Amino acid sequence: MPNHRDGTSGRHVDTPRGDVPSSAAVPDDNPPAAGPAGMIPPIDDHDHAHDHAYDHAHDHEHGHGHSHGRPKLGERGQLQEEPPKNLAEQMVAPSLRGRESECTHGCGSGGDCGSGGDCGNGCMTGGCGVGSIVDLIANDFDYVDERRIIEVTFKGYRREFVVVPDEDVQLRVRDMVIVEAERGVDIATVSMTGSLVHAKRRAKRLSNESLSTVLRKATTQDLETHSRDHDAERKALDVCRGRVEHFNLPMNLVGAEWQFDHRRVTFFFTADGRVDFRELVRDLASIFHTRIELRQIAVRDEAKRLGGMGICGRELCCTTHLGRYEHVTLDHAKSQQLQINPTKLSGLCGRLKCCLLYELDTYVDGLRRFPPLDSTIFTSKGKGYVQKIDIFRNLLFVYHPEHHALETLTLDEVHDLAPRQEELRHDRPEEAREQR
């Protein structure tokens, strides 16, 4: 019987010779992460009460917590949002604020170590000695699996865990092995062995599940067959492209894979909508005389299958270490103060680069220490507005409109000025000149 499966990024139709599947559906993109509703209101530029002066340190002195932009009730019971207290609240999108932690070193304690996240007890993050995120995830998982398990990589950078029943077989990374799976026999490359496999499985919370079996280490004859399959796959792809043009189907073929035992040939394609390829399946089955599988993939999976080099000069992350795709938006780039240029922010797949998430938490933690942009601050030169910040050098650039000058302050200097805002407000140089 045919095996029809309708997943997300890997939707495919598996048919025996002559069977006709229904048309494939387009894979849906990952939905954006849900965050608190509401937008951050713009900062008013009026001169009353505190005039939005920077009182971040004052809040900490008196035990006031951060509002983090949470809504409050107005005079008529309507929800109103408090103005942002720091730059993180202003620049970080609502959907990303769930990543916030009071511990600035991100060590996982949430700031409950009693030292504000600065205890330096020797953990790798310089924080509270909690350990890595893998430990936090897997410590409460009872992993018991005594089998000899390795990780292998099939064609198209598809990774799976497999069991090695023969304890005498010596396997190393990059060795080729023959694997018996549910759908037949295939060839794969060993990508991980030893205790690292069990550590990875424990982090993924996998234990004692059913796995494919390694039949043997690939022989010279197996390697020759594998090499001939590459030529056969190129020819099969050319044949399929010709048939797609003949039937005038709106699909873009990405690649073809012959199973090692030649019981199946799989064609991968991308498309913008639903495609009725029933006639194509019949035609291909009559040409190749084997089981035909058409699998629709997303554009990220296309880049993963084709491979390539990123702008950083390294192989694509999706082909080397990424196990799943995270949802990336322009909010991640804005939080890191990057120029919103889709050309530079997009990868080879045409989507936003996955690496935009790698340093996001560092920026969110860094921005939390600074006042919002355009907020008012009083210095010895008078009233100014925060125009620019540098989280790496801990610098703020304050613009003074009366002097048309830009003043550079360190973060420590701004913290020292916080308790003196009222004093500096009433001792403005321009007011002293007017009195004279």
Side-chain angles (χ1 to χ4, degrees):
M1 291 295 292
N3 177 20
H4 293 181
R5 181 172 66 85
D6 191 7
T8 52
S9 62
R11 291 176 181 168
H12 69 274
V13 178
D14 178 17
T15 64
R17 187 185 316 170
D19 282 4
V20 181
S22 59
S23 58
V26 177
D28 299 328
D29 290 332
N30 295 329
M39 299 296 293
I40 299 177
I43 299 177
D44 299 328
D45 189 19
H46 47 75
D47 190 7
H48 67 82
H50 294 288
D51 198 14
H52 285 300
Y54 178 45
D55 55 357
H56 179 64
H58 181 268
D59 283 356
H60 275 291
E61 268 187 0
H62 295 78
H64 302 313
H66 296 293
S67 66
H68 297 302
R70 288 190 293 267
K72 63 179 181 179
L73 288 177
E75 295 179 358
R76 299 183 179 181
Q78 298 178 348
L79 286 177
Q80 298 178 352
E81 288 197 357
E82 298 180 3
K85 296 295 184 182
N86 53 49
L87 193 62
E89 293 186 17
Q90 183 182 16
M91 298 192 65
V92 177
S95 60
L96 306 181
R97 290 179 202 162
R99 308 174 76 100
E100 290 184 342
S101 169
E102 295 296 335
C103 179
T104 58
H105 289 279
C107 57
S109 69
D112 294 331
C113 60
S115 60
D118 230 353
C119 56
N121 283 340
C123 74
M124 296 176 64
T125 61
C128 309
V130 175
S132 67
I133 188 63
V134 175
D135 294 333
L136 293 175
I137 294 174
N139 273 342
D140 59 344
F141 178 64
D142 186 15
Y143 177 79
V144 180
D145 204 330
E146 301 296 334
R147 296 175 294 178
R148 184 187 179 190
I149 302 175
I150 62 174
E151 184 189 61
V152 296
T153 303
F154 294 93
K155 298 174 185 177
Y157 302 97
R158 177 170 53 89
R159 298 181 182 87
E160 288 186 10
F161 296 111
V162 296
V163 177
V164 184
D166 189 353
E167 297 292 339
D168 297 330
V169 177
Q170 300 295 325
L171 296 176
R172 295 184 299 178
V173 176
R174 297 190 181 91
D175 284 345
M176 305 291 289
V177 293
I178 305 299
V179 179
E180 182 180 14
E182 294 181 359
R183 300 185 178 182
V185 178
D186 211 343
I187 190 169
T189 306
V190 179
S191 56
M192 185 182 295
T193 62
S195 60
L196 288 177
V197 177
H198 293 282
K200 185 174 182 179
R201 286 171 51 79
R202 183 183 180 187
K204 289 177 174 288
R205 294 177 175 266
L206 301 175
S207 180
N208 292 314
E209 78 279 15
S210 178
L211 297 175
S212 303
T213 305
V214 174
L215 294 179
R216 65 181 183 273
K217 190 174 180 179
T219 62
T220 304
Q221 184 179 359
D222 294 332
L223 297 179
E224 292 175 356
T225 302
H226 181 57
S227 179
R228 290 194 299 268
D229 285 345
H230 286 301
D231 297 332
E233 288 168 356
R234 286 192 290 268
K235 293 178 182 178
L237 188 61
D238 292 337
V239 171
C240 189
R241 283 201 178 107
R243 304 317 297 167
V244 168
E245 293 178 1
H246 173 75
F247 290 107
N248 194 25
L249 296 176
M251 53 193 299
N252 175 38
L253 286 176
V254 176
E257 283 187 11
W258 272 104
Q259 195 166 282
F260 185 75
D261 55 7
H262 277 231
R263 294 175 55 186
R264 181 191 313 272
V265 58
T266 304
F267 296 97
F268 300 89
F269 71 95
T270 60
D272 294 332
R274 296 178 62 90
V275 180
D276 185 359
F277 47 73
R278 289 174 291 182
E279 292 295 331
L280 176 64
V281 170
R282 293 192 186 98
D283 192 53
L284 293 176
S286 64
I287 295 175
F288 294 105
H289 302 287
T290 188
R291 189 181 297 271
I292 302 297
E293 180 178 330
L294 290 173
R295 180 175 298 181
Q296 184 171 1
I297 60 177
V299 289
R300 283 182 171 183
D301 294 311
E302 178 185 6
K304 178 179 180 178
R305 289 193 57 83
L306 298 178
M309 307 292 289
I311 194 173
C312 58
R314 300 177 65 90
E315 287 188 71
L316 297 181
C317 297
C318 54
T319 64
T320 53
H321 64 273
L322 282 185
R324 60 193 179 103
Y325 302 119
E326 299 287 349
H327 187 70
V328 187
T329 66
L330 286 177
D331 289 332
H332 297 89
K334 293 176 182 178
S335 301
Q336 299 174 61
Q337 306 179 67
L338 296 176
Q339 183 180 1
I340 306 304
N341 186 339
T343 303
K344 292 185 177 180
L345 296 179
S346 300
L348 296 184
C349 60
R351 301 293 179 87
L352 293 176
K353 296 177 182 177
C354 298
C355 57
L356 289 175
L357 296 176
Y358 294 171
E359 299 177 353
L360 177 63
D361 292 335
T362 301
Y363 280 90
V364 171
D365 288 333
L367 293 173
R368 195 176 296 118
R369 299 173 293 147
F370 291 87
L373 292 174
D374 297 328
S375 59
T376 304
I377 183 172
F378 293 93
T379 70
S380 58
K381 295 184 179 181
K383 180 180 178 181
Y385 304 92
V386 178
Q387 188 178 68
K388 182 182 177 182
I389 61 101
D390 187 338
I391 66 172
F392 299 105
R393 296 187 295 172
N394 288 332
L395 296 179
L396 285 88
F397 300 89
V398 180
Y399 176 68
H400 296 277
E402 293 84 0
H403 308 287
H404 300 287
L406 198 64
E407 181 181 8
T408 304
L409 299 175
T410 65
L411 190 59
D412 292 336
E413 291 175 341
V414 175
H415 287 168
D416 294 338
L417 289 173
R420 301 178 53 209
Q421 289 300 291
E422 287 298 326
E423 174 187 348
L424 294 171
R425 177 193 302 275
H426 298 294
D427 189 21
R428 300 181 183 179
E430 60 271 18
E431 290 182 355
R433 288 194 298 268
E434 291 177 359
Q435 291 177 357
R436 296 193 191 103

